[in-house]
Amino acid sequence: MTTTDARPAAAGAVDPARVQEFAGQMFGALSAGATTLMVSIGHRTGLFDTLAGLPPSTSAQIAAEAGLHERYVREWLGAMTAARIVTYDPATATYLIPPEHAAVLTRAAGPDNLASLMQFVPLLAGVQDPVVRCFREGGGVGYPAFDRFHDLMAEQSAQTNDAALIDRVVPLVPGLAARLAEGIRLADIGCGQGHAVNLLAREYPRSELVGYDFEADAVEAARAEAREWNLPNARFEVRDVADLAGTGTFGAITAFDAIHDQAHPAAVLSEVAAHLDPDGVFLMVDMRASSDLEKNLEIPWAPYLYTVSTMHCMTVSLGLDGDGLGTVWGVETALRMLAEAGFEDVRVETLDEDFINAYFVARR
């Protein structure tokens, strides 16, 4: 009689050097996450902007210039020095931000300001508990759980749109600038706080522009900016864009980083196609990534994209009993869904200054 050992075969000897290497990788991730939080604080408090305008200065001088408490500023400077973001001279106890670092950490950097992007990490961390619950129970986490989300999205989009919307994005669509100048109807899907609509309305006063979003607070912020800028040709409406019945047709429809968040994106794309003029165009700006995981492994920010998807874009869609398409739906899936919605002519464009997004120019 023979006996059989039911234990699984050994997976192989563990390499201690590789263990140490991976442990170092994990400690690096821990430090990078902590640095991200401190960079976010530096942006929100204006400390990077303050440092960029100062010669080598003590923590007391920096705090006084920024109007902040010195003890907190000193500890923050410690983190920034340890992260090699700020330099420190122990002989004079002074700190300095190199101009090359200020070029991507200050508000003066415009769309190159990466410090503003770091704010999404603490935002997402704030919903970790309900997301963990969704792993066990299913469902999703709704928009109300995401404090400051629309403010952060408005800040990000404003940086890019202020710098590039009129001069670089609109020209990606042949003839669109001339048509807007002459006067057409344009709708923006998932407009958020409506800054893009207002920029276009100010530049093209003969066109009639409308922004749709289902978040009432965001729509009110859009209306307030339109009033401040005296834009009678811009209006905003609280609306679920999966149903555009009664809106009429448009010469152009835009969607800036909004389609993948929708509960039912296929329905939204079909509505867009159905509400375009015969010669109308749809400009969809969305993530520049692949639908195939293996093709995203060389994208340095791919872990961030999948994290944002898990902890925001996918879960808010699932929270609405939606499809949970996710941030990294990818260019391939986007092209397939555009074709299924009735778009027969689709071009994918890119901008050198926008490394995250692809620009889909679609016609029926």
Side-chain angles (χ1 to χ4, degrees):
M1 181 176 180
T2 60
T3 60
T4 301
D5 190 343
R7 292 174 298 177
V14 174
D15 183 341
R18 292 183 65 185
V19 170
Q20 289 300 313
E21 180 184 1
F22 182 70
Q25 179 183 335
M26 289 295 95
F27 273 110
L30 178 65
S31 290
T35 299
T36 296
L37 293 175
M38 298 302 269
V39 171
S40 174
I41 288 174
H43 174 75
R44 294 186 65 180
T45 58
L47 274 165
F48 288 122
D49 303 303
T50 298
L51 278 167
L54 291 176
S57 304
T58 66
S59 60
Q61 291 168 330
I62 295 166
E65 185 69 21
L68 302 170
H69 286 275
E70 187 275 339
R71 184 66 189 92
Y72 281 92
V73 171
R74 185 173 8 126
E75 208 72 1
W76 178 84
L77 287 165
M80 292 298 94
T81 302
R84 307 300 194 269
I85 292 172
V86 168
T87 62
Y88 175 65
D89 181 357
T92 58
T94 57
Y95 304 83
L96 180 71
I97 187 168
E100 297 82 3
H101 297 187
V104 294
L105 293 174
T106 60
R107 287 172 173 80
D112 294 328
N113 180 10
L114 297 180
S116 66
L117 192 61
M118 304 298 172
Q119 297 174 97
F120 283 98
V121 171
L123 172 77
L124 298 176
V127 297
Q128 185 180 54
D129 287 349
V131 168
V132 168
R133 187 162 56 249
C134 290
F135 270 77
R136 297 190 174 102
E137 301 174 4
V141 181
Y143 273 105
F146 294 87
D147 186 39
R148 299 184 67 239
F149 172 76
H150 280 290
D151 291 338
L152 296 194
M153 286 300 298
E155 181 179 356
Q156 293 301 309
S157 62
Q159 289 177 167
T160 300
N161 288 330
D162 285 344
L165 179 61
I166 303 302
D167 296 331
R168 301 281 284 123
V169 176
V170 169
L172 290 175
V173 184
L176 180 58
R179 295 186 65 206
L180 284 166
E182 293 170 0
I184 60 172
R185 298 185 74 224
L186 180 147
D188 186 35
I189 299 299
C191 67
Q193 294 188 3
H195 189 61
V197 171
N198 287 328
L199 286 172
L200 291 168
R202 184 171 64 181
E203 182 71 16
Y204 303 107
R206 293 185 177 179
S207 285
E208 175 190 340
L209 295 99
V210 57
Y212 298 120
D213 201 284
F214 72 90
E215 284 291 324
D217 289 345
V219 167
E220 184 49 46
R223 290 169 175 165
E225 184 178 66
R227 289 193 298 268
E228 179 184 350
W229 290 7
N230 190 26
L231 299 173
N233 60 326
R235 66 181 181 87
F236 299 90
E237 182 179 324
V238 177
R239 189 181 190 100
D240 181 352
V241 293
D243 180 6
L244 297 177
T247 62
T249 60
F250 301 90
I253 297 177
T254 57
F256 297 97
D257 194 25
I259 295 300
H260 69 261
D261 286 329
Q262 302 299 316
H264 303 291
V268 174
L269 292 176
S270 294
E271 285 291 284
V272 168
H275 287 82
L276 278 173
D277 293 337
D279 60 348
V281 63
F282 177 42
L283 173 62
M284 182 179 78
V285 184
D286 222 294
M287 291 296 122
R288 190 198 309 185
S290 175
S291 305
D292 302 316
L293 172 60
E294 65 273 17
K295 295 179 182 178
N296 293 329
L297 298 184
E298 299 306 314
I299 300 176
W301 52 91
Y304 168 75
L305 295 180
Y306 285 105
T307 300
V308 169
S309 185
T310 304
M311 302 190 72
H312 181 267
C313 302
M314 183 186 75
T315 195
V316 296
S317 175
L318 293 173
L320 295 168
D321 294 324
D323 303 328
L325 188 61
T327 310
V328 203
W329 59 320
V331 170
E332 298 91 341
T333 297
L335 290 173
R336 174 179 59 78
M337 292 180 66
L338 285 166
E340 291 171 351
F343 292 100
E344 298 182 357
D345 178 9
V346 182
R347 293 184 297 107
V348 183
E349 303 284 357
T350 60
L351 291 177
D352 291 340
E353 59 266 46
D354 186 352
F355 58 89
I356 286 183
N357 289 311
Y359 293 76
F360 299 82
V361 181
R363 300 179 188 275
R364 292 185 301 177

